[in-house]
Amino acid sequence: MITPEIKQQLVSVVGAPWFLDSPNELYAYSYDATPMYQSFPDAVIMPGSTSEVSAVLKIANEHRIPIIPRGSGTNLAASTIPIQGGIVLNMNRFNQIHEIDVQNLTTTVGPGVITANLHQAVEALGLFYPPDPGSMRISTIGGNMSQGAGGMRGLKYGVTKDYIMGLEYVLPSGEILRCGGKNMKDVAGYDMTRLLVGSEGTLAVITEITLKLLPLPETKRTLVAFYNNLVDAAKTVEKVISSKIIPATVEFMDQGTMKVVDEYAKLGLPLEMKSMLLIEQDGSEELVVRDIEKIAEIAKEQGAARVEVAQTLEEGAKLLTARRAALSALSRLKPTTIMEDATVPRSRLADIVSEVERVAEKYGLQICTFGHAGDGNLHPTCMTDERNKEEIERVEKAFEEIFHASIRLGGTITGEHGVGIAKMNYLHLKVGEFGIELMKRIKQAFDPNGIMNPGKIFAGSERRRLVVKR
Amino acid sequence: MITPEIKQQLVSVVGAPWFLDSPNELYAYSYDATPMYQSFPDAVIMPGSTSEVSAVLKIANEHRIPIIPRGSGTNLAASTIPIQGGIVLNMNRFNQIHEIDVQNLTTTVGPGVITANLHQAVEALGLFYPPDPGSMRISTIGGNMSQGAGGMRGLKYGVTKDYIMGLEYVLPSGEILRCGGKNMKDVAGYDMTRLLVGSEGTLAVITEITLKLLPLPETKRTLVAFYNNLVDAAKTVEKVISSKIIPATVEFMDQGTMKVVDEYAKLGLPLEMKSMLLIEQDGSEELVVRDIEKIAEIAKEQGAARVEVAQTLEEGAKLLTARRAALSALSRLKPTTIMEDATVPRSRLADIVSEVERVAEKYGLQICTFGHAGDGNLHPTCMTDERNKEEIERVEKAFEEIFHASIRLGGTITGEHGVGIAKMNYLHLKVGEFGIELMKRIKQAFDPNGIMNPGKIFAGSERRRLVVKR
């Protein structure tokens, strides 16, 4: 596919050190954080500038070579698996924070900047970039943007897509374009910025990102509430919000998750309880105190068996860190951990949690559920073993039932992970066959030769969850 | 174009009372709120249901008849002028608030619902729909959505596009589709919702809209600051925001606007001053008091000659209502009022205001400037007379210079009005020729026959501001 002649052209663009095709290197890019998917690229290129990206794309486009843009590969939808071979475009050299504009409350960064590094840089100036996806210590802003990543602060602050103001991007034809910018208001033509957000590298390669910032909240406070059942936790969430309080974070953990997290982080959680909520509010001191008191009251009224307010910032941070560790903690239990992100309107929270429990029992699986209760965004997580083909088949069936349940409850198949390969067989449930057709036509407008991350988002003729190792 | 046979098909879909083609009726739909544009449709149809919209579109698509979706026609970009004839689709019968979902903080409405009516309905339940475009007492949610309307509360709360969560829409082929929904998080495929927002009826007809709501802020307070120059007002805005305060509203008026507004609303403004800021903060009582005090201090430090805090909610509301009346007040001065919405990053506010002053002087025109200073979104407004061809030519040239200046300052040609016909000759300044080409391809994906609101957003071969009366 990449002939010696094409390789020479590509090397002459980026320089030999940035063209990788040894077996070891190709192996390292044959998988991402999604379990059970693997496929080898033909080459890995690490471009150093937008003009290099443009030149690489022109060559790839001419020779119909797939391009798979990639950050840290922490996505959970198999969105960066080179399923049709081709070139993985590792964007990690685009790791500069070009500017933090304190006057306009924006920052302009390369897509390779690590999310947590950006948090640190803006917070040092008293500013705030709210999106905090689970993988933020490893993930890149470019990856967050491509997948439409969410996080714990979605309820009050929105998610990655709500912070992307402008982009520089390169089309497969090599054209370099810009959309959006630093303007708070801009309606000059179609919203290309937002169309590219969450497009999972299937439309263009992003080379620069302008993000919106906020002032850093003055302070924050954390509360935990424990319940003898699931319904009271869900009712608490509803009641808090219908009392006109929007907390920064409302996280849910079921008993299974609590046990594993407690073992991992030694928190001394009351493990006889069936579920817990972890609620954080931020803002001015007086508002935070008032809201947390009100939330504690509501939790008790709704039947919480225990409610505790963290006494210090450190104590609050420790609880949130423990919650963040849920996936890592769960993944130590069994060889394979499959985390999904079924999402429903907030009011259907109790329904989807019960549904997950029912499905787990029906198929004899160990599924723990935790997630962003304030957003209705849950992560039912199955501990399994990919070598056990029979069990994996049951896992597939179970998740298919969970997706159908989400849709039935007015929800969606993916709240913050993306479609990739992992969910492409279910996309029609949410957007319909004609919706898919329309999206494909849009892809055609950007990428007539179909080189951009092929085999993602849109399923082929057969709709099966596929595991590819070539 | 609409033969008797086609007319009969259309009438059989919607019923005779909802098919209008008398000269008087066609005249009423030959213009919108944009001065100097007029063109007659061949018919006006008022569909009563989504399935009627679908049936009308199928007929129009088959016979290549232009479809111009329209709400109240308050847009200022000539976006609803039937410039190629065809059918104006008046969506005013879609005026139901279907649901206000207190648990999920959403509302689902027909596109024909009047914006201010929605405000009233949700506020009665203690909820808040922040977007407040200038025309909100007449404009529809569908029109706001189509144009990507803004308003005074953009700085803190964002604009219409930030509140659209889901849509039902009909393609020219008659297909009825849905995108988005009530989920706070949803990344299932491309963001079709956001692509349709601001597309000015060039892609599809919107038949249902799900909007995000917030809790209604507890209280609010208003402050006015008067300045002997322009720069100190701009510096105040910058300083407030870099002090980590995000007011709900930061409105700017220059001396010319102050004079006219004062004459209209009898406020007793100090008319010897060169400019004023009108700042509103909302939230909890303690926060509002603290922020307004801090803002008053900053305004004085930055050289405000007078700072006054409104003593009551009514006094604050009166000031904002006066500001809202700026366009009406200015439009009484001369036969023709042309309001633009040049927008720049907030830090370039002083630069663009000076630029407008320089351009007005250069071309000997009366241009007053007011607008949303917190968003960098200004409305330079020219009082002129369309019968004076020579002066209109100078107006054209002046605005062209202002657009170029906005772009040079990192801004955009339209912050909240849209492109329509009025700005299509300038779109390339912001998005580039290839950006336009890409948008056209996207339009093609939705509307292969080009029946949806033709002649809008994308200029033909000649780039001139055109006045059409046929």
Side-chain angles (χ1 to χ4, degrees):
Chain A
M1 213 154 179
I2 299 183
T3 62
E5 198 194 13
I6 296 172
K7 175 172 171 176
Q8 206 190 322
Q9 286 176 40
L10 292 166
V11 167
S12 78
V13 169
V14 293
W18 308 113
F19 182 97
L20 319 175
D21 62 355
S22 75
N24 277 353
E25 288 159 337
L26 297 184
Y27 180 82
Y29 290 88
S30 67
Y31 56 86
D32 60 20
T34 324
M36 304 205 300
Y37 293 92
Q38 188 174 29
S39 178
F40 283 78
D42 298 305
V44 178
I45 289 178
M46 298 182 69
S49 69
T50 302
S51 59
E52 285 182 16
V53 170
S54 168
V56 168
L57 287 185
K58 269 185 203 160
I59 295 166
N61 201 36
E62 189 191 336
H63 299 287
R64 309 290 192 270
I65 300 168
I67 291 283
I68 300 92
R70 180 185 150 125
S72 300
T74 55
N75 82 84
L76 293 163
S79 294
T80 51
I81 303 287
I83 196 152
Q84 298 180 15
I87 297 166
V88 169
L89 214 60
N90 178 332
M91 299 299 287
N92 289 352
R93 290 174 70 201
F94 286 70
N95 60 355
Q96 301 298 307
I97 298 177
H98 300 301
E99 182 195 49
I100 299 175
D101 182 339
V102 180
Q103 288 181 316
N104 291 307
L105 297 184
T106 63
T107 178
T108 299
V109 305
V113 168
I114 302 290
T115 316
N117 292 353
L118 182 67
H119 286 152
Q120 224 174 0
V122 304
E123 286 173 22
L125 299 172
L127 298 173
F128 186 35
Y129 175 67
D132 58 345
S135 53
M136 65 190 190
R137 295 195 188 287
I138 317 166
S139 70
T140 62
I141 297 293
N144 297 168
M145 192 231 88
S146 292
Q147 301 301 118
M152 292 197 190
R153 298 192 279 236
L155 170 60
K156 183 171 182 176
Y157 290 107
V159 292
T160 305
K161 63 184 173 184
D162 299 307
Y163 290 83
I164 311 276
M165 294 182 72
L167 297 171
E168 179 187 71
Y169 61 104
V170 187
L171 290 177
S173 59
E175 296 279 347
I176 300 167
L177 287 138
R178 285 186 170 273
C179 54
K182 288 188 185 179
N183 297 291
M184 295 288 294
K185 289 176 174 171
D186 186 358
V187 289
Y190 302 150
D191 193 339
M192 306 300 275
T193 311
R194 197 60 172 258
L195 180 57
L196 287 161
V197 174
S199 65
E200 303 185 20
T202 63
L203 300 178
V205 177
I206 310 302
T207 47
E208 195 186 278
I209 305 175
T210 297
L211 300 160
K212 177 178 156 180
L213 300 175
L214 297 177
L216 189 63
E218 264 173 51
T219 190
K220 51 189 170 186
R221 197 161 289 204
T222 311
L223 165 155
V224 274
F226 300 97
Y227 298 84
N228 290 312
N229 57 46
L230 297 171
V231 177
D232 290 347
K235 270 166 46 197
T236 300
V237 176
E238 271 181 34
K239 194 73 188 174
V240 165
I241 289 162
S242 63
S243 304
K244 313 285 156 51
I245 299 172
I246 308 284
T249 293
V250 183
E251 293 295 309
F252 168 86
M253 286 192 252
D254 68 2
Q255 194 175 26
T257 312
M258 284 167 65
K259 280 182 181 161
V260 180
V261 164
D262 193 60
E263 193 185 319
Y264 184 86
K266 315 289 179 215
L267 296 167
L269 298 177
L271 299 179
E272 71 283 9
M273 296 286 165
K274 286 284 281 177
S275 70
M276 70 178 276
L277 289 177
L278 182 56
I279 300 180
E280 187 176 86
Q281 181 59 304
D282 61 11
S284 68
E285 181 69 27
E286 58 267 43
L287 192 85
V288 166
V289 169
R290 194 178 65 173
D291 278 359
I292 287 288
E293 272 171 17
K294 190 84 193 292
I295 293 167
E297 247 171 64
I298 293 170
K300 283 174 205 154
E301 279 165 23
Q302 299 304 314
R306 264 172 69 183
V307 178
E308 291 165 16
V309 177
Q311 292 309 304
T312 60
L313 280 177
E314 290 66 37
E315 200 184 320
K318 192 178 169 194
L319 286 164
L320 280 162
T321 305
R323 156 60 190 88
R324 277 192 195 283
L327 180 60
S328 321
L330 288 168
S331 69
R332 303 194 312 174
L333 296 185
K334 287 272 191 84
T336 307
T337 312
I338 302 180
M339 171 159 116
E340 287 298 351
D341 77 327
T343 300
V344 292
R346 189 189 307 119
S347 64
R348 308 315 295 269
L349 200 62
D351 299 325
I352 191 72
V353 173
S354 316
E355 194 64 13
V356 171
E357 288 205 325
R358 187 190 64 73
V359 168
E361 200 173 335
K362 173 174 171 186
Y363 290 100
L365 296 168
Q366 189 184 2
I367 301 184
C368 289
T369 298
F370 60 95
H372 318 299
D375 310 329
N377 176 206
L378 289 178
H379 296 306
T381 300
C382 185
M383 278 64 67
T384 179
D385 185 342
E386 60 182 299
R387 293 162 302 187
N388 181 343
K389 298 296 164 207
E390 183 275 327
E391 181 166 304
I392 289 294
E393 222 163 88
R394 279 184 282 130
V395 173
E396 302 282 314
K397 280 185 189 155
F399 277 121
E400 186 162 343
E401 274 197 37
I402 292 170
F403 296 143
H404 279 278
S406 300
I407 296 289
R408 207 167 52 239
L409 294 166
T412 183
I413 57 164
T414 171
E416 56 179 12
H417 291 172
V419 178
I421 306 173
K423 301 265 177 86
M424 67 186 185
N425 293 325
Y426 306 106
L427 182 60
H428 66 287
L429 297 179
K430 177 65 175 76
V431 307
E433 294 292 350
F434 203 87
I436 291 177
E437 178 54 34
L438 195 55
M439 289 181 193
K440 280 184 178 170
R441 287 192 216 155
I442 291 171
K443 176 170 168 63
Q444 181 80 14
F446 281 78
D447 177 26
N449 294 338
I451 66 161
M452 293 306 302
N453 207 4
K456 310 296 157 58
I457 300 183
F458 309 112
S461 46
E462 83 314 6
R463 297 205 181 282
R464 271 181 307 110
R465 183 166 174 128
L466 63 168
V467 181
V468 181
K469 302 212 178 188
R470 60 169 209 171
Chain B
M1 213 153 180
I2 299 183
T3 62
E5 197 195 13
I6 295 171
K7 174 173 172 175
Q8 204 189 326
Q9 285 176 37
L10 291 166
V11 166
S12 79
V13 169
V14 293
W18 308 114
F19 182 98
L20 319 175
D21 62 355
S22 76
N24 277 352
E25 288 158 336
L26 297 184
Y27 179 82
Y29 290 88
S30 67
Y31 57 86
D32 59 21
T34 324
M36 305 205 301
Y37 294 91
Q38 189 174 29
S39 177
F40 283 77
D42 298 304
V44 177
I45 289 178
M46 299 181 68
S49 68
T50 302
S51 60
E52 284 182 17
V53 170
S54 168
V56 168
L57 286 185
K58 269 186 204 160
I59 295 166
N61 201 37
E62 188 191 339
H63 299 286
R64 309 290 192 268
I65 300 168
I67 291 284
I68 300 93
R70 182 186 148 124
S72 300
T74 55
N75 82 84
L76 294 163
S79 296
T80 50
I81 304 287
I83 197 154
Q84 299 181 15
I87 297 166
V88 169
L89 214 59
N90 178 331
M91 299 299 287
N92 288 351
R93 289 174 71 202
F94 286 71
N95 60 354
Q96 301 296 307
I97 298 177
H98 300 301
E99 180 195 51
I100 300 175
D101 181 340
V102 180
Q103 289 181 315
N104 291 306
L105 297 184
T106 63
T107 178
T108 299
V109 305
V113 167
I114 302 291
T115 315
N117 292 353
L118 183 66
H119 286 152
Q120 223 172 1
V122 303
E123 285 172 22
L125 299 172
L127 298 173
F128 186 34
Y129 174 68
D132 59 344
S135 53
M136 64 190 192
R137 295 194 187 287
I138 318 165
S139 70
T140 62
I141 296 292
N144 297 168
M145 192 230 87
S146 291
Q147 301 301 117
M152 293 198 189
R153 296 192 280 235
L155 170 59
K156 184 170 180 175
Y157 291 107
V159 292
T160 305
K161 62 184 173 183
D162 300 306
Y163 290 84
I164 311 275
M165 293 183 72
L167 297 170
E168 179 189 71
Y169 62 103
V170 186
L171 290 178
S173 58
E175 295 279 347
I176 300 167
L177 288 141
R178 283 185 172 273
C179 54
K182 288 188 185 180
N183 297 291
M184 295 288 292
K185 290 178 175 170
D186 187 358
V187 289
Y190 302 150
D191 193 340
M192 306 300 275
T193 312
R194 195 61 172 257
L195 181 57
L196 287 161
V197 174
S199 64
E200 303 185 20
T202 63
L203 300 179
V205 177
I206 309 301
T207 48
E208 195 187 278
I209 304 175
T210 298
L211 299 161
K212 177 179 156 179
L213 300 174
L214 297 178
L216 189 63
E218 264 173 48
T219 190
K220 50 190 170 186
R221 196 160 290 203
T222 311
L223 165 155
V224 276
F226 301 97
Y227 297 85
N228 290 314
N229 56 46
L230 298 171
V231 177
D232 290 348
K235 270 166 45 198
T236 300
V237 176
E238 270 181 34
K239 194 74 188 170
V240 165
I241 289 162
S242 62
S243 305
K244 315 282 155 54
I245 299 172
I246 308 284
T249 294
V250 182
E251 294 295 309
F252 168 87
M253 286 193 253
D254 69 1
Q255 195 175 26
T257 311
M258 284 166 65
K259 280 182 178 159
V260 179
V261 164
D262 193 61
E263 193 185 319
Y264 185 86
K266 315 286 181 219
L267 296 167
L269 298 177
L271 299 178
E272 71 283 8
M273 296 287 167
K274 285 285 282 177
S275 69
M276 69 178 275
L277 288 178
L278 181 57
I279 299 180
E280 187 176 85
Q281 181 58 305
D282 61 11
S284 67
E285 180 70 27
E286 59 267 46
L287 191 86
V288 166
V289 168
R290 194 179 64 170
D291 278 359
I292 286 288
E293 272 171 19
K294 188 87 194 289
I295 293 167
E297 248 171 64
I298 292 170
K300 283 175 206 155
E301 278 165 21
Q302 300 303 316
R306 263 174 69 181
V307 178
E308 291 165 16
V309 177
Q311 292 309 304
T312 60
L313 279 176
E314 291 66 37
E315 201 185 318
K318 193 178 169 194
L319 286 163
L320 279 163
T321 306
R323 157 59 190 89
R324 279 193 193 284
L327 179 61
S328 321
L330 288 168
S331 70
R332 303 192 314 173
L333 296 185
K334 288 274 192 82
T336 308
T337 312
I338 302 182
M339 171 160 115
E340 286 299 352
D341 75 330
T343 302
V344 291
R346 191 191 305 122
S347 63
R348 309 314 295 268
L349 200 63
D351 299 326
I352 191 72
V353 172
S354 317
E355 194 64 13
V356 170
E357 287 203 327
R358 188 191 63 75
V359 168
E361 200 172 331
K362 173 176 172 185
Y363 290 100
L365 297 168
Q366 190 183 1
I367 301 184
C368 289
T369 298
F370 59 95
H372 318 300
D375 310 329
N377 176 208
L378 289 177
H379 296 306
T381 300
C382 184
M383 278 63 70
T384 180
D385 185 342
E386 62 182 298
R387 293 162 303 188
N388 182 342
K389 298 296 167 209
E390 183 276 326
E391 182 166 304
I392 289 294
E393 224 164 84
R394 279 184 281 130
V395 173
E396 303 282 315
K397 281 185 187 154
F399 277 120
E400 187 161 344
E401 275 196 36
I402 292 169
F403 296 143
H404 278 277
S406 300
I407 295 289
R408 208 168 48 240
L409 295 166
T412 183
I413 58 164
T414 172
E416 56 179 12
H417 291 171
V419 178
I421 306 173
K423 300 262 176 88
M424 66 186 184
N425 293 324
Y426 307 106
L427 182 59
H428 65 289
L429 297 179
K430 177 66 174 78
V431 308
E433 295 293 350
F434 204 88
I436 291 178
E437 178 53 34
L438 195 55
M439 289 181 192
K440 280 184 178 170
R441 286 193 218 156
I442 291 171
K443 176 169 167 66
Q444 181 80 12
F446 281 79
D447 178 27
N449 294 339
I451 67 162
M452 292 306 302
N453 208 4
K456 310 297 157 57
I457 301 183
F458 309 112
S461 47
E462 82 314 5
R463 298 207 180 279
R464 270 181 309 108
R465 184 167 174 127
L466 64 170
V467 180
V468 181
K469 305 213 178 189
R470 57 169 215 175

